Amino acid sequence: VYFGSFISKRGDIISGYRYVELALSLLDKVGAESAGEVICIATQVKVFVEPIQAALEHHDDGYAASMVAGDVSNALLNTMLKRGCMYVAGVKLQTMREEYEKFFRLAKENNHSIFLVQIKQVQRDVLRLIGSDEEVTIPEEEKLIASNNSVLKSYCFRNAHISFMFRSYDDAKEYVLKFYEC
């Protein structure tokens, strides 16, 4: 699955998809009880070939496999990636709002601050698109944005995207410049 993901990232999605399918068929033979990470990576390739709504359901399998194995990090990663892709899959905003609240509780229970910060950025977009004035904040966010370049880059990307959607072009430009400075 890693090789398939690598080939896909290099631009040959169809060949990468074949390797992912091979890995998943091997997984079916040996058992998928502890394969949350494999399913997570495979699904991220599948979304480029299969209908995104159908491919995202595989993250539920990854979540279940991770939880059976006691791998909370990969369970949360499968959940976060599914929630993040729901945004582009056309899921109703109110449904997304409810799903983000569930994820937030799960990540908070397991003390995964980076997952919290990443998903809260998308949740802010959803709330703004709904028209809600609800403010979403977590105490760790400012510290993580200041200290973790990956989180800062994600933060700038999300803000550039939502600024562009709401035609706040000056803000979008500012966030894009910050994104490329990271």
Side-chain angles (χ1 to χ4, degrees):
V1 79
Y2 287 107
F3 186 65
S5 175
F6 175 75
I7 289 173
S8 296
K9 289 176 186 172
R10 303 279 300 159
D12 190 356
I13 294 172
I14 298 302
S15 295
Y17 179 74
R18 286 187 195 125
Y19 280 101
V20 163
E21 287 296 305
L22 174 64
L24 292 175
S25 67
L26 290 172
L27 198 59
D28 287 341
K29 292 181 182 187
V30 297
E33 295 82 28
S34 60
E37 182 177 4
V38 171
I39 295 169
C40 176
I41 293 167
T43 304
Q44 291 301 297
V45 174
K46 285 176 163 262
V47 297
F48 289 98
V49 179
E50 299 176 3
I52 194 168
Q53 296 86 345
L56 288 179
E57 298 306 316
H58 296 294
H59 279 305
D60 294 334
D61 299 334
Y63 171 83
S66 295
M67 290 304 276
V68 165
D71 185 358
V72 176
S73 292
N74 276 313
L76 284 168
L77 182 59
N78 271 289
T79 305
M80 184 183 80
L81 289 171
K82 181 179 180 184
R83 301 303 181 262
C85 289
M86 289 170 80
Y87 191 71
V88 294
V91 174
K92 291 182 181 178
L93 293 174
Q94 192 58 43
T95 301
M96 289 178 59
R97 180 184 200 171
E98 294 162 8
E99 291 295 321
Y100 285 125
E101 284 303 318
K102 289 179 197 172
F103 177 81
F104 179 75
R105 285 191 299 275
L106 183 64
K108 194 165 181 91
E109 286 172 12
N110 291 284
N111 297 318
H112 282 273
S113 302
I114 290 180
F115 288 156
L116 284 171
V117 170
Q118 299 255 343
I119 209 68
K120 281 297 178 183
Q121 292 171 17
V122 181
Q123 188 178 21
R124 281 188 191 105
D125 297 352
V126 170
L127 291 172
R128 190 161 175 200
L129 288 169
I130 289 173
S132 173
D133 290 338
E134 185 179 333
E135 187 60 38
V136 179
T137 58
I138 55 172
E140 301 92 349
E141 185 173 26
E142 286 183 33
K143 187 174 108 182
L144 278 171
I145 289 171
S147 64
N148 187 316
N149 209 32
S150 176
V151 175
L152 174 61
K153 203 163 191 155
S154 175
Y155 173 81
C156 291
F157 175 82
R158 298 291 335 158
N159 282 316
H161 178 258
I162 200 70
S163 296
F164 181 78
M165 287 180 65
F166 282 97
R167 291 177 171 69
S168 179
Y169 299 119
D170 291 337
D171 289 344
K173 181 179 176 182
E174 179 183 329
Y175 284 116
V176 167
L177 291 173
K178 286 181 184 177
F179 176 85
Y180 283 114
E181 288 174 4
C182 297

